[in-house]
Amino acid sequence: MSSSSTIKDSPFGSWESPISSQSITVGSVGIGNLHLSSNEKHGSGDTIYWTEGRSTEGGRNVLCRYDPTSTSLEKSERNGIDVTPKTSNIRSRVHEYGGGAMTFASTTNYNDKFSTQKLFRINLVNNNDETDPIAVPTTGENDDQYRYADGEYDKKRGLLFCIRENHGPDGKAEPKDVINEIVALDVVTGNVRVIVTGYDFTVAPKLSPDGTTLACIVWDHPNMPWDATKLLKVSLPPIIPESEIDEDGGSVLSPSSWWETHGKPTVVAGHDDDTSIIQPLFHPITGKLFYISDQSGYYNIYMDDDDDEQQQKQQQHCVLSMDVDFGGSSPGWALGQQGFSFLKDGRLVATFNRDGASVLVVANVMDWNPIAGTTSPIDTIEYTSKDGLPMQFGAVQGGTTTDTMNDLYFMGGSPSTPSSVYYWNLKSNGTPAKILACSSTLKFDDSVISVPKQVEFPTTLGTAFGYYYPPKNGDYKCTTESAPPLLVKAHGGPTGCTGTTFSAAIQYWTSRGFAILDVDYGGSTGYGRAYRRRLRNSWGIVDIDDVCNGAQYLVNEGLADANRLCIDGGSAGGYTTLGALAFRDVFKAGCSLYGIGDLTALARDTHKFESRYLEGLLGGKYPEDEKIFKDRSPIEHIDKFNCPILILQGDEDKVVPPNQAVMMHEAVKAKNIPSCLKIYEGEQHGFRKAENREDALDSELSFFGRVFGIDVPGAIALEIDNM
């Protein structure tokens, strides 16, 4: 940090920063999908795995193993060894958003290869980069028909229970004709047995410890998983004797010889068709089925008691009755999410958010039995950053052995720490959690890191929330301007939320003298069911009100310049951005990243998962209620646009087709409004390639700099129509 005598006095937005666009890609990976397994070969204790999304390798997803003692030249800065070969890209396309692309089965891993969506088997002990994964035989004449995800391996039967998404023989089925089922797949022969079908969506297959029951979540259109789902259970036939399991792990019996006895699915919870139930998980010791439900008004954790009479009184089975949401930041979007888990001794561990920071709760559920008349509350302990945990964390898993049952591993971070794999012990007595693997090798001085403050501001339906990041750079100050330019960020979804883990894409702006408001507008997750449901029938109204009111709140507080308010967002956030520019006069410029301009086009041309999402968001069905769709579509109100727009889009986007970006740009340009359109080749819904992610960020800075007359150091050249 500079001394006070060398600090430069420069206008906001013109500061030079060490945080470049390359900071979001170079030396950085997307890290997630943490998994622990008992150690068979590599060191002692638990074996740690994670996946890395590498934008410098075209967005390829790689499975890695933590191995700090390895002397391999291939070991990464994160002490990770690639488990998958250089030709592999582990990523499922089920629901298009994917997730759940890996299933661990002792020393074997089953995963989806993105290029074909076929299943492959990898030996976790003897793998190397020269050995190709073994293809799992699956029924289907080509690679386009089936997609697999969210697997649960049954070692005793040699079967993989998973989602199978059927796109028709040619792989081109219309969204309404795509079939989602839970199937049992023999990993050696490829024989398949359908276990749960007849619903529009089936997810999260979970097998009981004794192998007698399979649980899963289902729902039908027009619901989304956060609207209304059902929890099902299926009774399975007797276990195949181990002597009848093929040496490669598959069943040597024909499925027809024993599947005839499997039961029909029965509904455990969700009878009212107005409750969202997610993330089932069997207790590893008691065998009880736990799950998350929002029937209390929040995503709380419940337990099924196996008593048909009591199943109608699920409120009695709430394990942790709290006015907080468990389940993660944006539950329901990706497969494989799990917001709670169990330790080796049976204790439950879960996380929730309080005042912008994560809280860990550990609950002793072993002796809790509401049916037997237990009335005493469950013994719980909470842990926060005061105990050594990072500001944000989740996906907590406990050690796999008796000796490591107090060891916790999780994903987390803070405003100054990128997403990382952490280790922490429940008996640490305040010792800070240890970072095992960080998603970025870049380090920045605290003098350029803006720490956010959660703000609550008045809006149309009461109050809304967001995180305010003030400008910060130890080498600069500004005494010539009363307030900085403000960039308001609208997250995607729209049923999602933002977070406060270090983001180079945010610090890129604040270290240059911009302020940021990251808004959790009405409809966001993490604030309870009532807040999440604010968007019902009101998308394009509530979210726009909230981003505008948030910006005006900061102006009134003297924290933002009213004449230099801009907004950006991706996907659904891009729609909110375009809507704010079309239907309000608050912002002076905006940037839409793969955003939605034409709701009628989206209703006609999108994938199955979201094909009827708009019905709940808009309160109408297309084409019967076309007027509602047109009234809320920014492209139908070009006459109301009066400020510059930057539009960034991928040419292979199946969620928001690129023709929408082209139509919006042409319409705005025809009105003589400054506009710029960039279409990136080979990109889908969201940018994954390093060069495109970097260019998008630099283009946005250059665009806002020119619009606001800011002399941005090193700004890239940008062709802006009508300017």
Side-chain angles (χ1 to χ4, degrees), residues 483-714:
L486 174 71
L487 174 60
V488 172
K489 288 190 165 290
H491 64 69
T495 311
C497 68
T498 188
T500 57
T501 295
F502 173 82
S503 169
I506 285 182
Q507 304 296 338
Y508 173 93
W509 293 96
T510 56
S511 60
R512 285 171 168 77
F514 279 78
I516 294 282
L517 176 63
D518 211 354
V519 183
D520 273 339
Y521 48 78
S524 297
T525 55
Y527 302 89
R529 181 168 67 179
Y531 193 82
R532 190 176 73 246
R533 289 186 173 183
R534 283 187 184 183
L535 275 190
R536 284 191 169 183
N537 306 332
S538 299
W539 192 36
I541 300 173
V542 168
D543 51 317
I544 293 174
D545 283 347
D546 290 356
V547 295
C548 291
N549 287 330
Q552 291 174 322
Y553 168 80
L554 293 180
V555 169
N556 294 337
E557 293 291 310
L559 299 174
D561 183 349
N563 295 314
R564 292 184 294 176
L565 301 178
C566 50
I567 183 172
D568 74 7
S571 188
Y575 167 74
T576 300
T577 293
L578 294 171
L581 300 179
F583 305 126
R584 306 289 191 277
D585 293 320
V586 173
F587 297 101
K588 309 305 179 183
C591 174
S592 168
L593 297 95
Y594 39 94
I596 303 159
D598 185 353
L599 295 175
T600 63
L602 183 65
R604 294 191 304 267
D605 188 13
T606 192
H607 58 126
K608 180 186 177 183
F609 182 66
E610 293 182 273
S611 61
R612 297 182 65 182
Y613 187 17
L614 294 180
E615 292 182 28
L617 291 173
L618 301 179
K621 186 176 181 179
Y622 187 84
E624 293 88 332
D625 301 301
E626 184 178 20
K627 185 177 185 301
I628 296 176
F629 287 71
K630 287 185 175 294
D631 286 346
R632 305 261 187 99
S633 294
I635 201 168
E636 297 288 339
H637 302 275
I638 299 300
D639 59 308
K640 297 181 180 179
F641 279 89
N642 55 15
C643 66
I645 303 174
L646 171 65
I647 302 174
L648 306 174
Q649 177 70 37
D651 72 340
E652 296 181 3
D653 194 333
K654 301 298 184 183
V655 179
V656 179
N659 65 318
Q660 290 199 27
V662 174
M663 288 189 296
M664 177 63 66
H665 171 66
E666 292 298 328
V668 173
K669 184 173 68 172
K671 197 187 173 188
N672 205 35
I673 295 173
S675 179
C676 176
L677 170 66
K678 280 192 171 185
I679 296 182
Y680 297 107
E681 293 184 3
E683 293 287 9
Q684 292 114 40
H685 195 61
F687 306 147
R688 292 175 173 83
K689 296 181 180 180
E691 62 272 22
N692 295 334
R693 294 176 63 197
E694 294 167 12
D695 184 79
L697 191 55
D698 286 335
S699 295
E700 191 173 351
L701 176 63
S702 177
F703 185 79
F704 290 146
R706 289 180 60 183
V707 167
F708 294 140
I710 299 172
D711 184 14
V712 176

Side-chain angles (χ1 to χ4, degrees), residues 78-95:
R78 291 167 292 282
N79 287 314
I81 302 295
D82 287 7
V83 174
T84 45
K86 298 184 186 304
T87 56
S88 293
N89 181 5
I90 298 179
R91 182 177 156 215
S92 170
R93 290 184 60 192
V94 171
H95 295 178

Side-chain angles (χ1 to χ4, degrees), residues 31 390-394 410-414 417-422 435 437 439 501-502:
I31 192 168
M391 182 174 176
Q392 293 280 340
F393 58 91
F410 48 86
M411 301 299 304
S414 70
T417 306
S419 182
S420 302
V421 176
Y422 282 84
I435 294 178
S439 62
T501 295
F502 173 82

Side-chain angles (χ1 to χ4, degrees), residues 288-303:
K288 292 290 186 180
L289 177 58
F290 288 71
Y291 58 93
I292 293 177
S293 170
D294 73 348
Q295 70 180 62
S296 69
Y298 291 88
Y299 270 136
N300 286 172
I301 301 172
Y302 289 76
M303 184 185 77

Side-chain angles (χ1 to χ4, degrees), residues 28 46 53 118 178 236 277 346 414 423 463 516 571 587 616 618 685:
S28 299
D46 305 306
K118 290 187 71 67
V178 173
L236 299 179
I277 300 161
S414 70
Y423 162 79
T463 61
I516 294 282
S571 188
F587 297 101
L618 301 179
H685 195 61

Side-chain angles (χ1 to χ4, degrees), residues 54-209:
R54 299 173 180 172
S55 58
T56 55
E57 297 180 24
R60 188 169 75 98
N61 288 268
V62 182
L63 176 63
C64 302
R65 183 185 68 248
Y66 181 64
D67 196 350
T69 63
S70 172
T71 58
S72 171
L73 297 177
E74 300 294 327
K75 186 171 70 172
S76 72
E77 300 89 341
R78 291 167 292 282
N79 287 314
I81 302 295
D82 287 7
V83 174
T84 45
K86 298 184 186 304
T87 56
S88 293
N89 181 5
I90 298 179
R91 182 177 156 215
S92 170
R93 290 184 60 192
V94 171
H95 295 178
E96 296 298 337
Y97 290 102
M102 300 180 304
T103 301
F104 287 82
S106 185
T107 58
T108 303
N109 166 258
Y110 295 92
N111 61 78
D112 286 305
K113 191 172 183 179
F114 181 67
S115 60
T116 65
Q117 288 298 285
K118 290 187 71 67
L119 284 170
F120 288 83
R121 183 170 73 241
I122 296 175
N123 188 309
L124 295 176
V125 175
N126 298 315
N127 66 284
N128 60 70
D129 286 344
E130 304 303 321
T131 302
D132 287 332
I134 300 172
V136 176
T138 54
T139 56
E141 298 180 357
N142 56 61
D143 293 338
D144 299 322
Q145 180 167 6
Y146 294 121
R147 303 174 184 179
Y148 300 88
D150 216 6
E152 179 92 335
Y153 184 67
D154 183 352
K155 181 179 180 180
K156 294 180 179 179
R157 295 187 178 96
L159 296 171
L160 183 67
F161 293 94
C162 61
I163 300 171
R164 184 180 69 177
E165 190 172 79
N166 187 344
H167 287 256
D170 61 356
K172 298 179 181 179
E174 293 295 320
K176 64 181 179 60
D177 297 321
V178 173
I179 300 172
N180 292 75
E181 302 169 308
I182 301 293
V183 301
L185 171 66
D186 187 308
V187 297
V188 173
T189 68
N191 289 331
V192 173
R193 180 76 174 186
V194 176
I195 307 301
V196 179
T197 190
Y199 296 91
D200 287 326
F201 298 97
T202 56
V203 302
K206 298 295 180 183
L207 189 66
S208 63

